[in-house]
Amino acid sequence: LGALHVVLKNPPINTKNQNVKDRAEGLVLKVLTAFKSSDLEKGVQSLDRNGVDLLMKYIYKGFERPSENSSAVLLQWHEKALAAGGVGSIVRVLTARKTV
Amino acid sequence: MSCLTLSQTATLRPYLNAVRATLQAALCLENFSSQVVERHNKPEVEVRSSKELLLQPVIISRNEKEKVLIEGSINSVRVSIAVKQADEIEKILCHKFMRFMMMRAENFFILRRKPVEGYDINVQTQTGGLRHSLHGGDRQRDQ
């Protein structure tokens, strides 16, 4: 749980460096897959509104590079984050100028 | 066709829900005439004339083979679907079926004649088309 907070704290939004973004995304993915399915709900509840938006951004970023099991996990996270953030969080991902 | 393992059926429902929710978010369109040519109304997602009119393209993937790319803009949305093709014969079947539908794209109104690179079929819609299908032709009644 703590790892989730740490990893979502300083998103590399303003860097132009693709490497930094890739590494950050890899870390987030690792943390997300390490969660147990029963703990997903608590993880999402513990985030504030900005955190949920950020989580959504990372989820969509993770969808772009599907590996064996990542999509299933990401889909579960997506469902929970949607329940917390609503359609608005998706809209905020779509309209964001600077991607994670 | 392809046998669905347990993990695959488990991802189908959240996959469809995720796609539905994202579409709900992306299908907020308004009528927007072209900024480049007077009196023209072009689907910005095809023309891509200005950056400020486009939304971030978003992918939702169920596994490496199946994904949906949703590109939005101010007056149009393009949905590209990559259908799962497990072996040669499924590839051929899919290709033929998609070709069948795309050749008759005029009657479909929302189909695109050629799929985007890497995907199998495209669905594209604009404000005018949406208004017609959502409101069931109310506009005509107003007049």
Side-chain angles (χ1 to χ4, degrees), chain A residues 68-86:
Chain A
E68 302 102 32
N69 242 339
S70 67
S71 300
V73 169
L74 284 176
L75 280 173
Q76 288 180 326
W77 273 102
H78 188 283
E79 210 180 314
K80 297 288 187 293
L82 187 59

Side-chain angles (χ1 to χ4, degrees), chain B residues 77-99:
Chain B
V77 167
R78 175 163 67 202
V79 180
S80 318
I81 307 177
V83 167
K84 179 154 92 104
Q85 297 153 44
D87 51 359
E88 274 303 321
I89 191 159
E90 275 192 28
K91 271 205 193 88
I92 299 176
L93 277 176
C94 176
H95 184 67
K96 291 237 171 270
F97 186 47
M98 298 305 168
R99 234 172 64 98

Side-chain angles (χ1 to χ4, degrees), chain B residues 67-85:
Chain B
K67 46 190 162 117
V68 172
L69 167 70
I70 300 180
E71 301 163 288
S73 69
I74 190 161
N75 62 1
S76 40
V77 167
R78 175 163 67 202
V79 180
S80 318
I81 307 177
V83 167
K84 179 154 92 104
Q85 297 153 44

Side-chain angles (χ1 to χ4, degrees), chain A residues 60 62-64 66-68 71-72 75-76 78-79 82 87 90-91 93-99, chain B residues 11 14-15 17-18 21-22 24-26 51-52 54-64 70:
Chain A
Y60 280 114
F63 272 136
E64 284 170 27
S67 58
E68 302 102 32
S71 300
L75 280 173
Q76 288 180 326
H78 188 283
E79 210 180 314
L82 187 59
V87 184
I90 304 186
V91 177
V93 170
L94 288 174
T95 51
R97 276 277 136 221
K98 311 187 178 181
T99 52
Chain B
T11 52
Y15 175 59
N17 285 336
T22 321
Q24 238 183 345
K51 265 184 63 173
E52 72 263 14
L54 300 176
L55 294 182
Q56 298 286 350
V58 144
I59 301 186
I60 303 166
S61 61
R62 187 184 175 195
N63 45 49
E64 289 91 339
I70 300 180

Side-chain angles (χ1 to χ4, degrees), chain B residues 94-108 111-116 119-122:
Chain B
C94 176
H95 184 67
K96 291 237 171 270
F97 186 47
M98 298 305 168
R99 234 172 64 98
F100 176 83
M101 295 212 284
M102 285 191 276
M103 283 209 293
R104 292 152 180 79
E106 268 159 26
N107 292 335
F108 275 115
L111 225 52
R112 194 167 182 261
R113 277 192 180 276
K114 271 203 165 294
V116 172
Y119 292 86
D120 292 312
I121 191 166
N122 270 135

Side-chain angles (χ1 to χ4, degrees), chain A residues 1 4-5 35 38-47 80:
Chain A
L1 201 61
L4 184 64
H5 282 243
F35 263 66
S38 41
D39 291 337
L40 284 188
E41 185 89 39
K42 274 196 302 191
V44 169
Q45 300 285 1
S46 70
L47 294 173
K80 297 288 187 293

